[in-house]
Structure formats: structure tokens, C-alpha cells
Amino acid sequence: MRAGEKIIGFACVSVISTLIFASCGDLFNTNDYEIKKIKGAPNLDLPLANGSLVIQDILSKQDQANIKIYPDGLVYLLYDQTLKSQGIRDLLVFPSKSFTASVPIPAATRLPRVTEIQYATLNINNDFAFNPEKLSEIKFKTTSLKVTVTFSPANPASSTFEVQVRLPNFKLNGTAFQQRIIASATGVTFPLSGYIATLANNTFPLEIAVIEKPHAANVTIAPATSATVKLDFASIDFQYIKGFFGDQTTLNIPAETIDFNAFGNALTKAKVSFADPKLSFRVSNDFGIPTKITFTTLEARKTNGSKLPVLLSPASPVSINPPLLLGQSAITDVVITNAKPMINFVPDQLYYKITARINEGLVSGNNFSADTSKIRINFKAEIPLYGNGSGLVLADTFAVDLTNSKNSSIESATLVAKVSNELPLEAFIQFYLANEQTIIFDSLFASPKTALVKSSTVNNLGELQSPGILNQEISIPKEKLAKLFDAKKLIVKAILNTTRDNSGNPIDVKFKSSYKMNVNFGLKAKLKLDYDL
């Protein structure tokens, strides 16, 4: 049974009962009465919107995970975002290197032999000549070493001798690199992954030994015979490096933006003032290098093009603390000193561009870096919901269907509003009428009702003292009412202002998790009943 039919049915019973009681003097003489028409004015009560609203409902849905609560119940927003880190690692790139050494082989006639002996040697130092880095240690990652040995003249030396190449300061699990190489135009390649090279300002010792192999006949070595050894270090990469990395600046760190939209669209046209926001950067540094980061640009931005410079303490350039040991990290905290005006600016983005400089003004030092080392810049925003504001916008949509109620039979209607509000917010409210596609075609009021929802009162700390109470009936013009019964959706839009003092001036108020606004909106309609029997 439809709602309208049910109410009308009860009305008919009431009217009939009245007629029966009125004729009790001759109850069974039905010929004396003939009921031809029933008239009445029953009431129709329809709920429109009801529920409980807390401050968290005002915030945008994507920020629900950022809502936190202090022990005293004060609600705050916490944003903790790690920014992209790059740039310094790009400074530590090393080119492939090649070295060539020639070992003289003394002229002689070599008698037959059944064992090998060391015939000639050469011990030299080679220099990687990295610039500006002066490395003392490198653990290789993907580097390979190709060793090529040639003899001049090629015969008979190439068949009589082998070459042993030893790098005493290149060790894998404590064992030095040592390989026997025969003459070859193409050379032999060895992976150096995991080898640790100990260097002295990029230099390392190389030991070459020419080995006379067993041979059955005399071998004559001509004057000016030599063995040439070529070392090709390809794709020099590291798991870690140590040494002094030089005074360097990188300018290739791309600009970045942080989306900052804590309140969705609620503050788009609002004026807000947060009493105690806290904004900061935390820099976590894995590089054992004295480093300075310069923010060439750091500003809050709005989509309309307006900007606000962001101020730091310590001021840019910021010296970044280095860790003491490889594998550790060091922390540097940087505070945004104009956090309050920045948050009150209601930015859409935080934009920054940085450069990094290492070893500024230094000519020596003990630096270190792993291949995984990073400088991670973490942005943290802690925004207690404590302050004041005006023009905050809150809207919600409800499905309605009053088509079963015959609006042509409605004589008058009023909007019943019952609100108990613990939030320090007053609201100017409008009800918009929309079709199934949420296209608005009219509103319930000619203009938003003045402070339809009363704000709570607060004490001198901005905390709840007593709720705002509203219990009011508001007449609705018939032309508006007719359109209400055509609506499929009802959009409730509220413009919110925080509590004011007796002079109308804004005061800082607190929003706690326990504060609620209980809302009941309903439609009370008086029907005109004219029913023929």
C-alpha cells in the first residue's frame, strides 16, 4: 500500500467514526443517514534528510586516511610524502678505462726444459685518473676486465711464453685477481663483480710476469722481443665507493610538485585561518658526503596562477648531515617558517626545484657512497583543525521520490528542521531540486535561509560549551512545493562559518572527533481530502 493511501485510509476511518458517534441515539436506523461524501484534512509527514555529521565528513574522501586524532580528541590532518630523490648519484659516473704495458723479454737461446719458470717481470702503477674523484676503494658491480696479450715478434715467443696478470689490490673474498693469459688478438674477458679494489688516489699496482713454458727444443729469442698487455675496464660501476669525490654541482634534478588538496572543494572560495599548522621537510641522507641542497624555487601554488613563496629554517641552501658509516643514514630537519600563511593560502600544489652541491670548497675528504644511496626528501604537514573560517561549502545529494503523493491534493506544506549542533559551525542552507541526471531545475527556498543551523558556543579555548539548537518550521510556497514532487534528487548545500563572538568577529575554534551535528529535515504537508462514496 502506498503511503498516501495509508494515511487517507486512516482519515476515512476517523471521519466515519465521528459520524457513528454522532448518531448513537438511533444507531440502527440507517435509513435516516446516507453518507455520500467524506471531507477531511489529514497531515502527511515525509522525511527528507536526516543523520549525524562529524567534522571528518567535511574533508575530501581521498584524505580520509590522513585524518588523525590527538589524545585530547582534536582532529588533525597528517600528510607524510616521500619525494623523488635523484641527482647526486648521477654525479658519480665513471668512464671505461684502458691501460697498456710492455714487458721486455731478454734475447737468449733457451734450452729445452720440462718445467716452467718466470722469465721476465714488470711491476707498475696504473692511474684510473678519475676527475674530480680520488677513489681509495671501489667494490665493483657490473664491471668487466678484458686482458689482451700479444708478442712482438710473434714467433717463437707466442708459443714459448704465457703472461700472468696479477692485480694484488683487486680481491674477491680476500683472494687477489690473478690470471694466466696466452697470446690472443681478441683477448679474454673476466667479470669483476664483487671484487674490492684498494686504490691510492685512483692508482693501483699491476704485476706482469712472462712465464717460459716447457719446450722440447732450443728456442732463440731475438733482441727487442716484448710482451704487450692491454687491460680494458668496461662499464665501470660500483656497489660502493670510498675516497674524495670532489667539489661538484648537479643541475639536472627535475622540478617536482606535491598535490595539496586537503579539503577537496570545501575551501575553494572560503576564507580560512588555521591557528597552528606545522609543515616541514625531513632529509634522510645515505651519502657520506658533505652536501648542500639549494631550493632554486619553492612555492605554494593555486590553479588560478597565484603563488606564495615558502620560507625555510635553516634557510636555503641547506647543509645536509652525512652519515658516519657506509650503510647508515643521517637526518636533517627543515621547518617551513611561514606554515600558517601557506596553509591559509589554501594551495593546490607545492612546487619545488633543487640543485645539490657536494664537498663545497673542499680539496680532500673521506667520502663514501653505495649504489643504493639516496637523499630522500620527506614532506610532512600536520594541520590541527583549530582556527576560524567562513564560506566553507558542504554539499550532499539524497534520492527522493514523492510521485506517489498527489501534489494537487496538498493544501499547504512546511519544512520541519530539527538540529542539535555541537560543531562550532553555523550553516546557510539551500535545498536544490534535481532530476534523475542530477540536473538542478529549481530550489526550495527563494534564497538560502539565514543561519538555518546554529553554531555551538565555545569557551575561551575554542572548545565546546553548549550545542546550537534549532527546532523550526518553515513555510514553503505552493509553486515550490509542486516542483518538489517532480524531483528525483534533493541536493543539500550548506555554506558554513565558524562561531563568532558577540561582536561578530571570528574566533579560533577547535574541532574534536566527538563533536556531532544531528540533523532532521522533513516535510509536513496538509492534504485536502474530498472523497465521493
Side-chain angles (χ1 to χ4, degrees):
M1 181 178 293
R2 294 176 296 180
E5 293 173 336
K6 184 175 182 180
I7 294 174
I8 292 173
F10 281 125
C12 292
V13 171
S14 176
V15 172
I16 293 171
S17 298
T18 302
L19 295 175
I20 290 174
F21 287 135
S23 61
C24 61
D26 193 359
L27 184 61
F28 299 101
N29 189 2
T30 57
N31 293 328
D32 294 339
Y33 298 95
E34 183 178 355
I35 301 173
K36 297 181 179 180
K37 180 176 292 188
I38 297 174
K39 293 184 178 182
N43 290 328
L44 176 65
D45 294 327
L46 295 173
L48 293 180
N50 63 83
S52 182
L53 178 73
V54 294
I55 186 60
Q56 291 92 321
D57 297 325
I58 298 177
L59 307 177
S60 62
K61 291 182 180 179
Q62 66 265 29
D63 290 290
Q64 295 300 310
N66 304 106
I67 299 172
K68 307 295 179 183
I69 300 172
Y70 291 121
D72 66 351
L74 181 64
V75 178
Y76 69 100
L77 295 173
L78 180 64
Y79 297 90
D80 201 338
Q81 182 177 351
T82 298
L83 313 182
K84 291 182 179 179
S85 58
Q86 54 186 336
I88 290 183
R89 175 64 178 85
D90 297 339
L91 291 175
L92 306 175
V93 177
F94 303 98
S96 299
K97 293 288 184 177
S98 295
F99 303 93
T100 301
S102 184
V103 184
I105 301 177
T109 298
R110 305 301 296 169
L111 300 176
R113 58 180 306 106
V114 294
T115 60
E116 66 180 31
I117 63 169
Q118 184 172 290
Y119 186 72
T121 61
L122 178 67
N123 295 334
I124 60 173
N125 278 335
N126 286 323
D127 190 347
F128 277 116
F130 298 134
N131 186 31
E133 297 89 357
K134 301 294 183 183
L135 300 186
S136 60
E137 189 174 322
I138 179 170
K139 184 174 184 180
F140 293 105
K141 185 176 182 181
T142 59
T143 305
S144 62
L145 172 61
K146 185 171 77 169
V147 182
T148 306
V149 173
T150 57
F151 290 94
S152 179
N155 292 311
S158 59
S159 59
T160 305
F161 300 105
E162 284 184 353
V163 172
Q164 176 179 281
V165 173
R166 187 170 188 270
L167 299 171
N169 289 10
F170 286 56
K171 295 182 178 181
L172 179 63
N173 299 324
T175 302
F177 177 91
Q178 181 174 295
Q179 298 292 339
R180 293 279 286 269
I181 314 294
I182 62 174
S184 170
T186 57
V188 183
T189 299
F190 304 95
L192 292 181
S193 177
Y195 273 87
I196 298 174
T198 302
L199 311 174
N201 286 339
N202 296 329
T203 66
F204 62 95
L206 168 63
E207 298 176 0
I208 301 174
V210 179
I211 307 299
E212 182 182 350
K213 298 183 293 184
H215 51 92
N218 288 347
V219 176
T220 300
I221 305 301
T225 297
S226 63
T228 299
V229 178
K230 184 180 181 185
L231 306 181
D232 290 303
F233 291 87
S235 303
I236 297 178
D237 197 6
F238 61 86
Q239 294 184 45
Y240 70 76
I241 52 175
K242 297 179 181 179
F244 177 65
F245 301 160
D247 184 344
Q248 301 189 62
T249 300
T250 177
L251 298 174
N252 62 345
I253 303 177
E256 295 290 344
T257 58
I258 306 170
D259 288 332
F260 198 85
N261 192 9
F263 299 92
N265 297 321
L267 303 185
T268 302
K269 298 180 180 180
K271 294 181 179 179
V272 295
S273 176
F274 291 94
D276 190 28
K278 300 176 180 66
L279 304 180
S280 63
F281 291 98
R282 169 161 283 196
V283 182
S284 176
N285 178 26
D286 303 336
F287 292 93
I289 318 170
T291 304
K292 285 187 177 180
I293 290 180
T294 300
F295 287 87
T296 56
T297 306
L298 180 60
E299 58 193 18
R301 293 183 171 185
K302 285 177 152 316
T303 53
N304 62 10
S306 55
K307 304 173 183 178
L308 178 71
V310 176
L311 306 180
L312 302 177
S313 177
S316 178
V318 180
S319 294
I320 305 302
N321 297 323
L324 297 177
L325 299 173
L326 184 67
Q328 296 180 346
S329 297
I331 301 298
T332 304
D333 288 313
V334 182
V335 176
I336 294 178
T337 57
N338 62 335
K340 183 174 180 178
M342 176 185 159
I343 293 298
N344 293 342
F345 178 66
V346 193
D348 298 300
Q349 289 181 331
L350 183 65
Y351 175 92
Y352 69 97
K353 184 168 179 28
I354 64 175
T355 62
R357 184 170 181 178
I358 64 173
N359 292 319
E360 182 179 5
L362 301 178
V363 295
S364 64
N366 296 316
N367 305 151
F368 56 80
S369 171
D371 61 320
T372 56
S373 292
K374 294 180 180 179
I375 288 183
R376 292 172 293 275
I377 302 177
N378 180 266
F379 174 70
K380 183 177 180 181
E382 187 174 323
I383 310 172
L385 298 191
Y386 173 37
N388 64 79
S390 61
L392 287 77
V393 177
L394 180 64
D396 205 351
T397 301
F398 301 89
V400 295
D401 188 359
L402 304 181
T403 54
N404 289 337
S405 300
K406 297 179 180 180
N407 54 358
S408 60
S409 300
I410 294 179
E411 193 170 78
S412 63
T414 57
L415 179 71
V416 179
K418 294 182 179 181
V419 180
S420 176
N421 180 25
E422 295 177 341
L423 296 174
L425 290 169
E426 65 178 9
F428 295 79
I429 293 181
Q430 179 62 277
F431 292 83
Y432 293 97
L433 311 178
N435 60 18
E436 291 180 346
Q437 291 74 39
T438 321
I439 298 174
I440 296 173
F441 59 83
D442 205 346
S443 61
L444 208 55
F445 303 138
S447 62
K449 304 302 291 183
T450 301
L452 187 59
V453 175
K454 305 295 184 182
S455 67
S456 65
T457 58
V458 298
N459 59 23
N460 58 356
L461 298 177
E463 298 175 338
L464 173 65
Q465 191 169 42
S466 61
I469 302 296
L470 175 71
N471 191 347
Q472 185 177 351
E473 294 187 4
I474 304 168
S475 296
I476 300 175
K478 282 189 176 181
E479 64 273 13
K480 297 283 186 179
L481 187 63
K483 293 184 178 181
L484 173 62
F485 283 85
D486 294 328
K488 296 298 182 182
K489 293 183 180 180
L490 189 66
I491 300 172
V492 183
K493 183 177 181 181
I495 300 176
L496 309 174
N497 302 318
T498 55
T499 303
R500 300 299 196 251
D501 62 17
N502 293 333
S503 301
N505 300 314
I507 57 177
D508 289 337
V509 297
K510 294 180 179 179
F511 291 88
K512 294 193 173 183
S513 60
S514 60
Y515 297 172
K516 295 181 179 180
M517 181 193 298
N518 295 314
V519 177
N520 280 280
F521 289 106
L523 183 68
K524 179 183 289 186
K526 188 174 182 179
L527 303 180
K528 182 179 180 181
L529 179 65
D530 193 344
Y531 186 73
D532 293 323
L533 296 177

